[in-house]
Amino acid sequence: MKYLGFGFFYRVSVYIAGPAFVLFCMVASPFSFGEAIELKEGDRVVFLGDTFFERASRYGHIEAALTANWADRKITFRNLGWSGDGPSGRARAFFGDVEEGFGNLKSQLARYDPSVVFAYYGAMDSFAGEEGLQPFMEDFEKLLAAIDKPGRRIVLLTLTPREKMAGVLDDAASQNRKASLFANAVRGIGQAGELTVIDLFEALRKPMASGGNQRLTDNGVHLNDFGYQLAAAAILDGMDENWRGKAKRFRKRDTEWVESLYAAIEEKNEYVFNQWRPQNETYLRGFRKHEQGQNAAELKAFDTYIEATEAMIKELIEAGNPAAVLGKLGGNSK
Amino acid sequence: MKKACIITILLSVAAPIWGQRALTDIPDPDPDYQLSLMTPAEGFEISLFASDPMISNPIAMSFDAKGRLYVATSESYPQIRPGQRASDKIFRLEDTDGDGKADTRTVFAEGLLIPTAILAMPEGVYVGQSTELRLYEDLDDDGVADRDRVILSGFGTEDTHHLVHALAAGPAGRIHFNQSVYIHSYLETPSGLHSLKAGGVWRLRPETMDLDIYTRGLWNSWGHQWDEWGQSFQSDGAGYDGLSYAFPGAVFVKSDGFQRYLRGLNPGQPKLCGLEIVSGRHFPESWQGRIITCDFRGNRIISFNPVDAGSAFRTPQSEDLVTSTHGAFRPIDVKLGMDGALYVADWYNPIIQHGEVDFRDQRRDRSHGRIWRIVAKDQALVPLPHLAEASVSKLLEQLTIPEASTRQQARALLKVEGAAAVQGPLARWLAQHDGSGPEGDRARLEGLWVLQSLQIVDEALVERLLDSEDFRMRAAALRVFEEFPDKLASTSSILKRAARDPHPRVRMEALHALRSLGGAESAKVAMQMHEPSMDETFDFALWRTMRALAEDWIPAAEADELFFGDAAGRLVYAVNSAESAEALALLLEHWKKGRIDGAAREDAMLLMCERGDAAVLTLVWKDILENEPGEGSSRASVLEALLEAAENRKVIPDFEQEDLVEKIGQAGPDVRTGYVKLAGAWKAEESVTALKTIIQNSDTKKTLSDAAIDALARMDSEAAKKGLLALMDAEQPFETRLRAASGYAVADPVAAAPSVVAMMVDAKASNDVRELVRPYMAKRGLSEALARRLEGATIGEEVATTLLRMLSSAPTSLDKLETALRDAAGIVPVDASLSASQLSDLIEYAQRSGDPARGEGIYHRDALLCATCHAIGGAGGALGPDLTSIGASAPVDYIIESLLEPAKKIKEGYHVVSITTKGGAAYAGTVAREDEQTVALLDMTSQEINIAKSDIANRSMIPISLMPAGLTTSLRKDEFADLVRFLSELGKEGDYKISKVPMVRTFRYLDDKGGDKGMADTVRHNHISYMATDDPSFNWISRYANVDGRLFLDKIPFFRREGGKHFNYLRFDVKADEAGVAGLKFNDSEGLRLWMGEDEIEWTGDLAEIEFSEGVHTFTVAASRYERANRNLSISVMDTTETTTHIQIVNGK
């Protein structure tokens, strides 16, 4: 990441203030730009964001896709998505103010010291429309400045579009107009900071608007299983133009093995969740820690189980059929 | 050192044989044994519906339309272990042969993390677990969910048992669920982000994902249910106010974002869990409409009888449904089944909660759990309605049956059928039930709810219900507009009509709808419902409405000065609600034009003081100088408000000192103190002479001279300091010297240190010396300077002990001063820690030899200060947790450790906040109140310290207890055991359970001031009725009755009268909700005389029927020592046929 300067926000404003943004594509996908980024041996990946990433943990597609595409490499993943969060860290504040939430976000990230961060923000902020744009961008700039460090690669994801759903989300068009402002803002931030941007907003817009028989969301906003499959594919598109080719090399369907891989990923994510976001926070680490703080020591012990499950995932992927995962994501359908 | 030390005595106890095992006081889990310890109410039977191993540790349950029971259970509560997968389960139980026992069980869902909420609806089963609300669907109805998804996520993780709970279906198609005080939630929905950072009830329409907050606040509300007219009630599992009346926009204690809130309906009640309202053919007539909830700490299921009271309700407690002496019986959820029986989820655990007791405590039960079933003897069960297969017309038929929970199921099924299928048959069905009486009304209300659940508002139906003679029906009809204000063009005119309804509940429902409708016109209609006297709930709803609509009505009121009519009181009320600068400007506009008159003037002045800047305060001050107060109002409250503005907001008016000096000289006794205080707060140096005159005048009342001394102390001028020094002269009375020295210490702590030490040396146990030393607690350097001054001094042990207790809650360590105080008094510190074996010995000893009756006497000893800080049944201090059911909830080891080492366990809400001000002063205490400008801390002496937020440099929560360690060190071992035994009996079934009947628990007795002769003479020479006057020389001291309500008359001072008879004099306070007659019952009337205010009450027998006016009344009792053989006195509230008003005993400190 090349920027860190004062006045970044103003530069970004210039980018997005124009009638249209200019893409300088360095990778094959039409829905991503910036420097192509691949995962390397030993990478520690953190997913940072709101409900998009929090629920991705349960569906498993994104993590499975990245694991399978770079199956020969040891890569670990920590999902730090938190429903309702924004780049300010507001949802992580516990009893404190937004500043404390931001501090918590930083220390949560520092605990895993990632080499790669995927950041997804804006879904809820976008409801504020134009008025919400400036505070969102300022928060995002502050976040990026805080998490940037030498050797760390940061990938920005634009928010997913809204899907019309009768009775639940009738105003998809107007919501998407607002959402596009925020997608645009993230693109602008990416360009200004010379970061890789994966444009989920554009990538999912077409399948969503086509009104096919398969819905992408549960409620117009939050992706369902199919939606996450498409999102995972879009992320791979933005990172490796050859992944669909890899998928084609393995035509064998291997449902049982894929399920066991997904199950292992889910198990690992469950341990991770119960470690970094345990219940009874107030008693373990908060203002009642003098009562139950002795039990906070248990949290460290989750590491053993997380590492063991990661070893299991590695074994599965080495012995198994990673392209079957890629195939499942639609790689061999094109 | 004279003090005996329990710890050393404990060490002499014989060596432990059974060690840690003594801590495992676990009841036998055999269900038959448990059943044998249960006592149902007369006419009821209880039996086992399901038990382990079929289920374990049930938390919540819900019946589906086929009568099957879904039970959310958790073995992993309170905290999942490293390496453990989420494995908690939802079970589906079914009684297929109708014998009252579950015979079929399936694992409906598994892999959950502490599911805390469950609700079976036609679309699936909603489950609250971890940070999510999920929906499980069982497509083939085989009892195992086939798919599930997240509906909402982002509930906070701060506390397991504050997460989503009390899922409940509202009457008109929305589901409701609660979160509690610690939880900070950020929920994403298709219409945006919703956050709630404390307790509250969420309301969701799942088919649209419309989400909002129904009520806010409460500590931990685990019960919520609607009555037959769509009014709902909540219980609180961590508060002490019993039930609350819930309505849209209601705010209760500890909310996110509101300072003002409504108190619960049952102050002094134990904590409650679950809530069901009785309806249906199976329960006896006398139980219909009762609220059933669980005193889970006290192992019992209790009931309340809601009674309409103005716009709200009162809910006197009624019979216990089930009591038990089995310590693991933890009823936490109650639901009526379709058969009319009541089902009870028994979490089954000797240990509850997880704050105080270790997550991994081995006594936590993880394998047992029960569902009990309560039926009325000799009363037929209700035949099952077979709803699931029913057609639309069959479902409509069900809407007339008496069982509310079945009607609820039928409405939910009708909603699933959809508008197209339901509207026609519903119209025909309503035509068949078109009578004008209660049956017709019932059908119309059910129809209204069905349509509302389909998002339809039927104007004709609403109009018909508004014509009902039953105000509950009229009120219920309006609720539809609260959800759908925009559906009808006629909403506004319907609400205008409702605003003139004779019943306040109906008008209040109109307020909820107007708030939802919005707009200036709505605010105008709302304000037309304003009356000089409104009940508290209505007043709250109006305030809430005007606050919510402020942005709408302020511009309108700016444009039209008669927007709220010509009654100035309405404008002042609206401005008070709005809390905005624009609103205050509007008020000032009217004030300057002289439009605010009469009683509204004082309210306006208070508001100006509360919010105005210096210029606004100057207007107030000018008015005080130029005008006499209006009739019925007093300057005292305005002066108080000016003082608060100066202290809390640092705002003072432009004023001429000579005006203030003149006021001090001329003001009447009711307001003089107020002006004196202002002189200090405004630092009016020219008043020093006037203040000294006041202090030196021997006729001056103590409150006034104290205020004058304090004013000098705050003056910060040489003249004032000189004045204080003169007052410390040895010729002055000691109390004056003490006050002056305390003041001097505030004004100049360094210079005052020698005088402060001198005062400490001269002080006796009866002198309160804490104010002397308080200024030295603020900074470490000051405390050390005082410590150096103490070298070589000798002070009394009691004086030092009082000071040490105060220092123990200081935010910074004041060890040097503590050491100096101990040295000066010769006190040796004790180590209060117990080893495990000592603890187990002590538990065993307390259980074997402790006498709870003696323990209760020890509890009330003045030296232990128990009742100063803790309340039982609402009587006592509020500084520490209420102890009403401590014995039933806390294990004995917890009680002992809390007595010896208070800082080890601290209850929620009693955490100490430490504040350092920008001036370097430090304070510690629990937060008593907080608003945008100030924080009020209650320190360990129960003194309220107001700190302006603009002054705060640092604020943090610190792990200390305000309860000083070592309070019990003066007890002998047997006494300590008695005290522990008493505490461990509190709330359990038996003699130490708070009665259902409200009783006088906080008495005040007349102090004899240590045999003071002047005092004795005053009493002796005046007529006995003089005792009911407010002679300022009378000192009334709080004394708390025993748990059973008895006060021992021989333990309080008595006074001799002319003629040789001796009397005790006592006071207590009673609040009447409205004017009318109510009864006070005495255990024995012999030898008693009673005054309400100064009017003597005459009565015969033991029941006095008294005519009350609205408000709080002080009663004085004279109890003759010779004419009264019964040496106990207890007084309770008794309803009789003559009763026309509701009264509450004002207990408390």
Side-chain angles (χ1 to χ4, degrees):
Chain A
M1 186 165 158
K2 314 292 187 300
Y3 84 93
L4 260 184
F6 179 74
F8 163 72
F9 170 70
Y10 302 100
R11 279 191 282 135
V12 171
S13 305
V14 172
Y15 274 105
I16 67 162
F21 58 94
V22 186
L23 291 183
F24 50 98
C25 287
M26 293 164 103
V27 292
S29 164
F31 304 127
S32 70
F33 49 92
E35 202 173 330
I37 184 170
E38 65 173 291
L39 298 185
K40 298 174 185 156
E41 175 66 25
D43 263 341
R44 297 174 308 281
V45 177
V46 157
F47 300 119
L48 196 60
D50 59 18
T51 302
F52 172 78
F53 272 132
E54 185 182 294
R55 285 191 201 167
S57 171
R58 205 177 269 277
Y59 289 100
H61 296 304
I62 295 172
E63 193 174 330
L66 297 176
T67 304
N69 194 56
W70 287 283
D72 55 333
R73 301 168 193 181
K74 165 88 177 149
I75 303 160
T76 61
F77 298 88
R78 295 289 181 273
N79 190 323
L80 301 184
W82 192 312
S83 283
D85 204 19
S88 63
R90 62 183 169 226
R92 302 166 199 254
F94 298 117
F95 293 83
D97 53 16
V98 179
E99 273 306 303
E100 262 177 75
F102 190 66
N104 289 338
L105 187 157
K106 285 190 286 183
S107 51
Q108 285 153 6
L109 197 74
R111 170 135 179 20
Y112 293 112
D113 188 24
S115 55
V116 182
V117 176
F118 286 84
Y120 174 104
Y121 284 107
M124 289 297 112
D125 301 78
S126 71
F127 281 93
E130 211 152 340
E131 273 177 37
L133 209 50
Q134 177 160 337
F136 172 74
M137 290 176 67
E138 284 171 0
D139 287 341
F140 216 149
E141 177 189 13
K142 192 175 145 202
L143 172 71
L144 291 173
I147 67 176
D148 183 36
K149 67 179 243 182
R152 180 175 287 171
R153 288 110 75 206
I154 297 174
V155 181
L156 306 185
L157 307 182
T158 60
L159 73 170
T160 58
R162 303 289 145 81
E163 185 174 39
K164 189 173 165 66
M165 189 172 273
V168 179
L169 201 150
D170 293 309
D171 58 342
S174 73
Q175 281 205 29
N176 273 328
R177 272 194 296 280
K178 289 182 180 177
S180 72
L181 294 175
F182 284 72
N184 217 3
V186 173
R187 292 180 202 116
I189 291 168
Q191 280 178 297
E194 296 177 27
L195 304 173
T196 308
V197 178
I198 293 174
D199 201 344
L200 292 178
F201 187 78
E202 286 302 323
L204 299 191
R205 216 148 115 115
K206 209 172 147 200
M208 224 174 243
S210 70
N213 46 14
Q214 258 188 308
R215 304 201 59 94
L216 273 70
T217 68
D218 278 339
N219 56 21
V221 175
H222 298 118
L223 298 185
N224 59 16
D225 189 74
F226 181 60
Y228 274 111
Q229 284 189 37
L230 296 190
I235 289 170
L236 280 185
D237 279 337
M239 298 179 72
D240 179 4
E241 55 188 342
N242 300 318
W243 78 276
R244 289 178 194 272
K246 284 185 216 170
K248 280 181 187 150
R249 287 203 289 277
F250 294 88
R251 296 213 164 266
K252 186 181 153 208
R253 293 173 68 85
D254 204 346
T255 316
E256 202 176 316
W257 175 83
V258 171
E259 272 177 19
S260 63
L261 179 74
Y262 272 65
I265 289 173
E266 191 183 353
E267 179 175 351
K268 188 248 346 179
N269 284 338
E270 187 180 322
Y271 296 142
V272 170
F273 185 87
N274 288 330
Q275 179 182 51
W276 82 277
R277 208 167 142 195
Q279 295 206 350
N280 294 312
E281 182 72 39
T282 312
Y283 302 84
L284 292 173
R285 301 185 288 213
F287 70 90
R288 292 182 75 170
K289 67 179 174 213
H290 61 283
E291 288 169 278
Q292 298 291 334
Q294 68 276 11
N295 290 307
E298 284 185 356
L299 299 177
K300 181 87 184 88
F302 276 95
D303 282 339
T304 316
Y305 299 94
I306 294 167
E307 282 157 20
T309 322
E310 280 173 339
M312 191 165 87
I313 293 167
K314 186 79 189 132
E315 272 173 41
L316 272 170
I317 207 86
E318 277 168 4
N321 185 2
V325 174
L326 302 177
K328 180 182 157 115
L329 295 177
N332 56 7
S333 67
K334 286 192 181 177
Chain B
M1 174 182 158
K2 289 160 287 183
K3 272 180 190 160
C5 168
I6 182 163
I7 308 305
T8 46
I9 296 168
L10 288 170
L11 292 174
S12 67
V13 173
I17 309 162
W18 24 266
Q20 193 66 28
R21 269 179 298 145
L23 293 175
T24 52
D25 176 20
I26 301 219
D28 183 346
D30 176 50
D32 290 336
Y33 173 71
Q34 194 186 1
L35 189 58
S36 75
L37 298 184
M38 289 191 191
T39 312
E42 182 70 33
F44 289 93
E45 279 174 342
I46 183 163
S47 63
L48 196 62
F49 177 73
S51 177
D52 39 273
M54 205 179 222
I55 56 158
S56 70
N57 306 110
I59 295 178
M61 59 184 182
S62 178
F63 285 102
D64 71 3
K66 291 183 178 171
R68 296 164 312 196
L69 186 63
Y70 295 77
V71 186
T73 69
S74 178
E75 297 173 9
S76 53
Y77 170 90
Q79 189 81 27
I80 199 159
R81 289 171 189 278
Q84 189 185 355
R85 297 295 303 274
S87 58
D88 290 327
K89 297 176 182 66
I90 307 291
F91 295 110
R92 193 182 84 176
L93 302 178
E94 191 169 8
D95 171 14
T96 54
D97 58 7
D99 68 348
K101 285 183 172 35
D103 46 50
T104 308
R105 183 209 83 168
T106 56
V107 178
F108 179 74
E110 55 191 326
L112 291 101
L113 180 58
I114 315 183
T116 36
I118 190 158
L119 177 67
M121 294 294 283
E123 63 268 30
V125 177
Y126 291 93
V127 174
Q129 69 109 35
S130 185
T131 57
E132 302 165 336
L133 177 72
R134 306 179 69 85
L135 179 67
Y136 288 82
E137 293 169 82
D138 180 6
L139 303 172
D140 54 8
D141 199 32
D142 64 350
V144 180
D146 310 300
R147 65 179 188 205
D148 69 286
R149 64 187 169 93
V150 179
I151 301 296
L152 289 168
S153 60
F155 299 98
T157 50
E158 289 86 352
D159 192 332
T160 309
H161 74 187
H162 287 173
L163 271 161
V164 178
H165 49 265
L167 257 168
R174 284 180 286 184
I175 64 170
H176 298 61
F177 49 95
N178 302 8
Q179 69 177 49
S180 299
V181 63
Y182 286 175
I183 299 298
H184 298 67
S185 294
Y186 295 82
L187 311 180
E188 297 185 11
T189 77
S191 55
L193 183 68
H194 295 261
S195 71
L196 178 58
K197 293 173 272 184
V201 178
W202 290 97
R203 185 164 64 169
L204 176 73
R205 183 170 280 287
E207 67 274 27
T208 61
M209 286 302 287
D210 279 332
L211 177 73
D212 69 354
I213 295 165
Y214 178 56
T215 71
R216 289 168 186 270
L218 292 181
W219 294 96
N220 197 2
S221 170
W222 275 69
H224 186 202
Q225 186 57 273
W226 287 260
D227 74 2
E228 302 267 324
W229 298 274
Q231 303 290 328
S232 73
F233 296 87
Q234 288 179 252
S235 58
D236 192 350
Y240 290 96
D241 277 356
L243 305 173
S244 290
Y245 163 41
F247 54 82
V251 178
F252 308 114
V253 66
K254 281 287 162 191
S255 71
D256 170 14
F258 285 81
Q259 306 306 327
R260 181 173 175 180
Y261 63 87
L262 290 162
R263 287 293 303 268
L265 301 171
N266 311 83
Q269 266 294 318
K271 305 176 175 196
L272 304 172
C273 196
L275 197 155
E276 181 62 292
I277 300 180
V278 176
S279 74
R281 285 160 282 183
H282 180 66
F283 263 66
E285 187 55 37
S286 64
W287 282 76
Q288 297 298 316
R290 279 200 209 172
I291 290 171
I292 295 186
T293 178
C294 308
D295 171 5
F296 56 102
R297 291 164 179 252
N299 319 112
R300 67 181 78 92
I301 302 166
I302 63 180
S303 74
F304 295 85
N305 212 354
V307 183
D308 293 307
S311 64
F313 295 85
R314 57 191 183 85
T315 50
Q317 197 174 347
S318 194
E319 281 163 273
D320 291 347
L321 184 57
V322 175
T323 61
S324 172
T325 53
H326 192 281
F329 175 51
R330 300 297 180 187
I332 59 172
D333 198 8
V334 274
K335 292 271 154 62
L336 283 163
M338 278 185 180
D339 59 357
L342 185 78
Y343 292 77
V344 180
D346 171 10
W347 156 248
Y348 194 92
N349 221 311
I351 300 274
I352 54 166
Q353 246 266 22
H354 53 269
E356 297 90 348
V357 181
D358 196 284
F359 291 171
R360 306 303 178 209
D361 192 298
Q362 295 195 347
R363 291 167 293 181
R364 290 188 185 281
D365 187 285
R366 295 179 193 281
S367 57
H368 300 98
R370 272 104 221 228
I371 308 293
W372 301 96
R373 181 170 180 265
I374 300 169
V375 298
K377 281 184 200 165
D378 311 320
Q379 193 92 14
L381 288 160
V382 179
L384 291 182
H386 303 292
L387 296 180
E389 304 83 27
S391 61
V392 166
S393 58
K394 292 272 181 213
L395 287 171
L396 288 168
E397 279 173 23
Q398 293 296 327
L399 297 181
T400 57
I401 64 165
E403 291 76 29
S405 54
T406 305
R407 293 200 306 270
Q408 167 64 47
Q409 299 271 15
R411 287 195 304 270
L413 288 164
L414 283 165
K415 174 181 158 182
V416 173
E417 296 288 336
V422 170
Q423 268 183 297
L426 178 65
R428 288 191 291 280
W429 179 78
L430 282 169
Q432 288 160 14
H433 297 81
D434 194 37
S436 57
E439 281 171 26
D441 278 348
R442 168 54 52 198
R444 282 184 285 276
L445 180 55
E446 295 288 334
L448 184 77
W449 282 340
V450 169
L451 290 172
Q452 186 181 347
S453 75
L454 293 163
Q455 305 178 59
I456 297 165
V457 183
D458 181 324
E459 182 170 356
L461 208 46
V462 172
E463 293 279 4
R464 279 294 302 275
L465 279 164
L466 285 175
D467 288 336
S468 172
E469 285 177 14
D470 187 337
F471 76 89
R472 296 170 298 189
M473 288 292 173
R474 303 199 300 275
L478 293 173
R479 186 69 70 91
V480 67
F481 296 113
E482 196 266 329
E483 182 177 14
F484 297 124
D486 303 328
K487 294 254 181 198
L488 295 184
S490 57
T491 300
S492 184
S493 62
I494 291 172
L495 295 179
K496 268 184 199 156
R497 173 186 162 192
R500 294 189 299 271
D501 195 278
H503 200 281
R505 172 102 47 82
V506 183
R507 298 197 298 273
M508 190 167 78
E509 287 293 338
L511 284 175
H512 305 330
L514 288 165
R515 198 161 60 237
S516 178
L517 179 63
E521 188 59 23
S522 292
K524 190 175 193 170
V525 176
M527 240 9 258
Q528 281 160 5
M529 290 184 252
H530 174 269
E531 289 169 27
S533 169
M534 298 176 283
D535 69 49
E536 195 187 343
T537 311
F538 191 90
D539 189 349
F540 176 89
L542 181 56
W543 169 84
R544 181 89 170 76
T545 304
M546 296 310 291
R547 181 177 143 124
L549 301 183
E551 284 184 17
D552 294 331
W553 66 256
I554 290 173
E558 281 167 352
D560 172 8
E561 56 194 31
L562 290 174
F563 185 70
F564 292 124
D566 53 8
R570 288 190 173 172
L571 177 80
V572 176
Y573 185 95
V575 168
N576 187 27
S577 307
E579 293 180 13
S580 73
E582 289 81 3
L584 183 65
L586 188 65
L587 177 73
L588 292 173
E589 190 89 348
H590 284 251
W591 175 270
K592 285 172 186 163
K593 289 184 185 166
R595 278 211 194 84
I596 296 172
D597 48 16
R601 215 163 160 80
E602 186 183 338
D603 287 342
M605 287 167 89
L606 293 176
L607 201 49
M608 287 157 74
C609 291
E610 201 178 294
R611 299 192 202 156
D613 57 13
V616 175
L617 262 58
T618 307
L619 289 176
V620 173
W621 180 241
K622 223 173 114 196
D623 191 79
I624 291 174
L625 295 177
E626 288 171 4
N627 299 314
E628 288 301 310
E631 202 174 319
S633 77
S634 137
R635 285 285 181 246
S637 54
V638 178
L639 296 180
E640 184 66 27
L642 281 172
L643 184 68
E644 280 177 18
E647 289 182 342
N648 299 343
R649 300 194 296 123
K650 316 284 175 203
V651 183
I652 60 173
D654 283 336
F655 71 105
E656 298 296 334
Q657 295 214 10
E658 64 202 55
D659 290 336
L660 181 58
V661 174
E662 192 184 320
K663 282 286 182 191
I664 292 173
Q666 294 173 352
D670 56 326
V671 288
R672 203 170 179 199
T673 312
Y675 288 113
V676 165
K677 287 180 177 170
L678 284 181
W682 294 354
K683 304 195 190 301
E685 288 182 35
E686 288 174 26
S687 65
V688 169
T689 314
L691 296 176
K692 274 159 69 180
T693 309
I694 287 174
I695 298 160
Q696 279 154 353
N697 183 343
S698 59
D699 291 342
T700 302
K701 277 190 189 175
K702 190 169 180 307
T703 46
L704 180 58
S705 69
D706 285 353
I709 295 171
D710 293 345
L712 287 176
R714 301 184 57 179
M715 205 79 77
D716 203 17
S717 81
E718 287 311 313
K721 278 193 215 167
K722 264 189 210 146
L724 289 169
L725 272 173
L727 291 168
M728 281 148 60
D729 188 273
E731 302 205 340
Q732 300 288 341
F734 187 77
E735 287 289 339
T736 304
R737 290 171 58 203
L738 189 59
R739 191 96 188 178
S742 305
Y744 195 39
V746 171
D748 191 345
V750 176
S755 317
V756 165
V757 171
M759 288 293 144
M760 283 158 74
V761 168
D762 288 352
K764 299 194 172 54
S766 57
N767 298 127
D768 188 347
V769 290
R770 290 175 301 199
E771 294 313 311
L772 262 184
V773 176
R774 197 186 295 279
Y776 297 89
M777 290 169 67
K779 291 179 185 171
R780 200 177 162 84
L782 284 178
S783 73
E784 289 175 5
L786 186 64
R788 283 194 294 277
R789 280 280 165 193
L790 270 167
E791 261 173 55
T794 303
I795 61 176
E797 189 178 310
E798 290 86 353
V799 171
T801 306
T802 306
L803 292 173
L804 283 166
R805 278 178 191 155
M806 180 168 74
L807 295 184
S808 69
S809 68
T812 47
S813 164
L814 304 173
D815 46 347
K816 292 219 167 95
L817 183 55
E818 285 177 28
T819 310
L821 279 169
R822 280 202 199 90
D823 290 350
I827 297 171
V828 180
V830 294
D831 177 10
S833 304
L834 290 182
S835 70
S837 65
Q838 287 164 345
L839 185 59
S840 59
D841 285 350
L842 193 50
I843 292 166
E844 192 271 340
Y845 180 76
Q847 280 167 341
R848 178 165 43 86
S849 312
D851 178 338
R854 282 205 309 254
E856 183 164 27
I858 292 163
Y859 179 87
H860 288 293
R861 278 187 196 168
D862 291 338
L864 291 188
L865 305 172
C866 303
T868 314
C869 298
H870 295 278
I872 297 176
L879 197 54
D882 187 294
L883 300 177
T884 302
S885 51
I886 186 77
S889 64
V892 185
D893 53 318
Y894 169 75
I895 293 174
I896 292 176
E897 286 197 314
S898 297
L899 287 169
L900 297 176
E901 296 180 80
K904 261 187 143 174
K905 327 265 181 188
I906 301 170
K907 224 29 247 138
E908 57 249 46
Y910 298 93
H911 284 80
V912 173
V913 168
S914 154
I915 288 177
T916 315
T917 64
K918 288 174 184 158
Y923 302 95
T926 56
V927 176
R929 282 178 296 104
E930 178 166 8
D931 58 29
E932 277 161 28
Q933 277 135 3
T934 54
V935 187
L937 292 185
L938 261 189
D939 78 355
M940 63 87 55
T941 60
S942 283
Q943 181 172 319
E944 212 173 277
I945 304 162
N946 276 297
I947 303 166
K949 281 200 167 160
S950 57
D951 275 354
I952 295 177
N954 185 281
R955 171 180 177 165
S956 60
M957 204 94 75
I958 52 174
I960 64 166
S961 170
L962 281 189
M963 176 161 156
L967 274 177
T968 50
T969 49
S970 63
L971 297 179
R972 297 193 311 265
K973 183 186 173 191
D974 59 315
E975 290 177 324
F976 187 83
D978 293 342
L979 178 62
V980 168
R981 186 66 203 282
F982 165 65
L983 293 172
S984 71
E985 290 298 318
L986 274 178
K988 285 182 182 161
E989 204 49 43
D991 295 339
Y992 299 94
K993 152 185 156 181
I994 289 292
S995 69
K996 291 185 281 287
V997 182
M999 303 187 90
V1000 178
R1001 300 186 172 280
T1002 305
F1003 288 93
R1004 297 190 300 282
Y1005 68 85
L1006 183 62
D1007 183 22
D1008 65 357
K1009 299 187 177 173
D1012 181 84
K1013 188 163 178 305
M1015 182 69 211
D1017 283 349
T1018 306
V1019 176
R1020 183 152 61 231
H1021 298 311
N1022 279 300
H1023 186 265
I1024 192 164
S1025 62
Y1026 186 74
M1027 307 313 298
T1029 67
D1030 62 349
D1031 183 323
S1033 72
F1034 289 172
N1035 188 22
W1036 298 92
I1037 296 178
S1038 291
R1039 173 61 59 118
Y1040 309 102
N1042 279 5
V1043 176
D1044 63 9
R1046 287 182 306 161
L1047 183 79
F1048 298 130
L1049 294 171
D1050 289 339
K1051 294 218 169 164
I1052 57 176
F1054 53 85
F1055 294 82
R1056 211 174 114 100
R1057 295 207 56 75
E1058 211 79 80
K1061 288 184 176 174
H1062 290 82
F1063 285 84
N1064 299 109
Y1065 300 102
L1066 294 157
R1067 283 192 170 171
F1068 59 92
D1069 296 330
V1070 175
K1071 181 181 172 214
D1073 288 353
E1074 55 194 1
V1077 174
L1080 287 177
K1081 187 175 180 307
F1082 297 88
N1083 61 333
D1084 186 344
S1085 292
E1086 192 182 35
L1088 296 183
R1089 291 176 74 169
L1090 180 71
W1091 292 263
M1092 177 165 70
E1094 296 185 18
D1095 302 328
E1096 182 154 14
I1097 307 284
E1098 307 281 343
W1099 78 100
T1100 53
D1102 290 335
L1103 175 67
E1105 286 182 330
I1106 298 165
E1107 179 96 38
F1108 284 88
S1109 59
E1110 188 193 325
V1112 177
H1113 302 273
T1114 296
F1115 284 81
T1116 306
V1117 182
S1120 164
R1121 199 159 179 231
Y1122 297 114
E1123 289 170 13
R1124 183 178 172 87
N1126 191 333
R1127 300 313 298 150
N1128 295 314
L1129 174 65
S1130 65
I1131 307 172
S1132 52
V1133 174
M1134 189 173 210
D1135 281 346
T1136 68
T1137 48
E1138 305 298 317
T1139 302
T1140 57
T1141 185
H1142 176 244
I1143 55 171
Q1144 286 171 290
I1145 306 291
V1146 184
N1147 288 314
K1149 193 160 180 189

